[in-house]
Amino acid sequence: MPGGNMLALALALRLLLPCTGQHHQEEAERIMATTPVIDGHNDLPWQLLKRFNNQLKLPEANLTLLEGTHTNIPKLRTGHVGGQFWSAYVPCDTQNKDAVKRTLEQIDVVHRMCELYPETFACVVDSDGIQQAFQNNKVASLIGVEGGHSIDSSLGVLRTFYHLGVRYMTLTHSCNTPWADNWLVDTGDDPLVHHGLSPFGKTVLEEMNRLGMIVDLAHVSVDTMKVVLNISKAPVIFSHSSAYSLCQHRRNVPDDVLRMVASTGSLVMVNFYNAYVTCGDTATLYDVADHMDYVKNVAGAQSVGFGGDYDGVPGVPTGLEDVSKYPALVAELLARNWTEAEVRGALAENLVRVFRKVEEVKVALQGTAPLETPIATEELEGTCRTHYGYSSTSGASTGQLAPATLALVLLRSLFP
């Protein structure tokens, strides 16, 4: 009878589901054995500062035994993490104070992680280094500076960070810099100042392109996103952001920007933080997969990556409790009929493609001299700074003077 047939079919499907799930999990493990995940943002260095004041040799700071964090070495191995942008993050309250010093200390922490655990971490600075780390079964460890306030509006500091191994910089954190607007401008919590980037901000972007440093647009305002995507010579990343249409949080990426991401060959590395996934206190692995699906559908599979934000957020989804859980998310993507090529792209190949294009732009600009014009002193804030080089008696050219100062010089020359 028809009712009996339907019941038998339902029972058969129920019995098959665990087998299907197991198959997807096995496929995820197989794929990740040769294409491990490169995650765009992990705040373990910040946890090492907060908990141990960066004393990595303390017994309780041992990364093999570390507890109470999303990240440790066994979890990285279980999660098939093959590449990680470690965040050199310092809070916005360091701006105009000791941001540069604090950031240098966090860069140093990443280098010391590689020195203390050479069997696990390989500090790398280019796309070839990532591939070499994969082959050696190590975690390719890259450094991202999270917030333009870390350079204290100095092109010299930006270049120095690059020489120390920094390969992306997030243009803002959750505060404006003297040259870029952050996402809180879009909520009304911070003032609109630059309509994206100031002229000096565009100089910072140009110098990042020249250096071969990836531009990261997580945390910036929508105007900043659009300005950068319109004028950057190289593709950019959102190292840890999700889709605005699924969760209307201003840290996420709206559809018109997703289309710009697609047209520029750029990348959105989807964030796992509950507040950016569901706009609530709780979320699941399936909700994160929804964001990855959405970015894929709007911007294309080549525009999707992983940006877990582990150890930088208070709440992560059920099923993605720590860095060991990436294979479960990959299994879910396979269950949603992502092809193996699309999965490998999201895991690593999309990021490597962007990185290589950034490196190609660097090569194309090799004959270009470093940019030297400093930010106008009037644009700087904070009382704990000197102003060497800005004095008219210091030998600075008129091209380095602020517009108002330059106008005054010209008026005096016309009417002595």
Side-chain angles (χ1 to χ4, degrees), residues 303-315:
S303 301
V304 187
F306 292 73
D309 209 359
Y310 282 117
D311 282 312
V313 294

Side-chain angles (χ1 to χ4, degrees), residues 221-223 225-226 229-230 238 243-245 250 252-264 268 294 298-299:
S221 71
V222 171
D223 279 349
M225 297 176 192
K226 292 179 177 179
L229 284 162
N230 273 318
F238 292 77
Y244 182 79
S245 286
R250 286 299 182 178
N252 288 337
V253 188
D255 284 4
D256 55 343
V257 176
L258 285 177
R259 287 187 282 271
M260 295 177 75
V261 166
S263 67
T264 56
V268 176
Y294 192 88
V298 175

Side-chain angles (χ1 to χ4, degrees), residues 69-70 75 112 211 229 240 264 272 361:
T69 56
H70 297 140
K75 291 174 184 175
R112 286 192 288 128
L211 286 168
L229 284 162
H240 54 305
T264 56
F272 297 177
V361 170

Side-chain angles (χ1 to χ4, degrees), residues 148-285:
H149 61 283
S150 283
I151 66 168
D152 197 24
S153 301
S154 167
L155 296 171
V157 172
L158 176 69
R159 285 187 286 268
T160 300
F161 283 174
Y162 182 85
H163 296 317
L164 292 173
V166 173
R167 287 302 178 266
Y168 80 59
M169 182 174 74
T170 319
L171 296 188
T172 71
H173 195 253
S174 299
C175 54
N176 289 342
T177 69
W179 43 272
D181 289 336
N182 85 101
W183 68 276
L184 289 170
V185 167
D186 296 329
T187 68
D189 292 316
D190 276 359
L192 173 65
V193 180
H194 309 294
H195 297 279
L197 295 178
S198 73
F200 182 77
K202 293 176 182 178
T203 299
V204 171
L205 171 61
E206 188 176 352
E207 188 67 353
M208 292 177 72
N209 286 166
R210 189 193 70 83
L211 286 168
M213 185 184 290
I214 300 169
V215 177
D216 177 24
L217 297 181
H219 286 280
V220 305
S221 71
V222 171
D223 279 349
T224 307
M225 297 176 192
K226 292 179 177 179
V227 168
V228 171
L229 284 162
N230 273 318
I231 68 175
S232 177
K233 296 179 176 69
V236 307
I237 66 170
F238 292 77
S239 67
H240 54 305
S241 297
S242 297
Y244 182 79
S245 286
L246 296 187
C247 169
Q248 285 77 53
H249 194 293
R250 286 299 182 178
R251 269 284 282 104
N252 288 337
V253 188
D255 284 4
D256 55 343
V257 176
L258 285 177
R259 287 187 282 271
M260 295 177 75
V261 166
S263 67
T264 56
S266 297
L267 183 64
V268 176
M269 307 182 85
V270 171
N271 196 312
F272 297 177
Y273 179 32
N274 291 343
Y276 303 161
V277 174
T278 62
C279 291
D281 295 331
T282 61
T284 69
L285 173 154

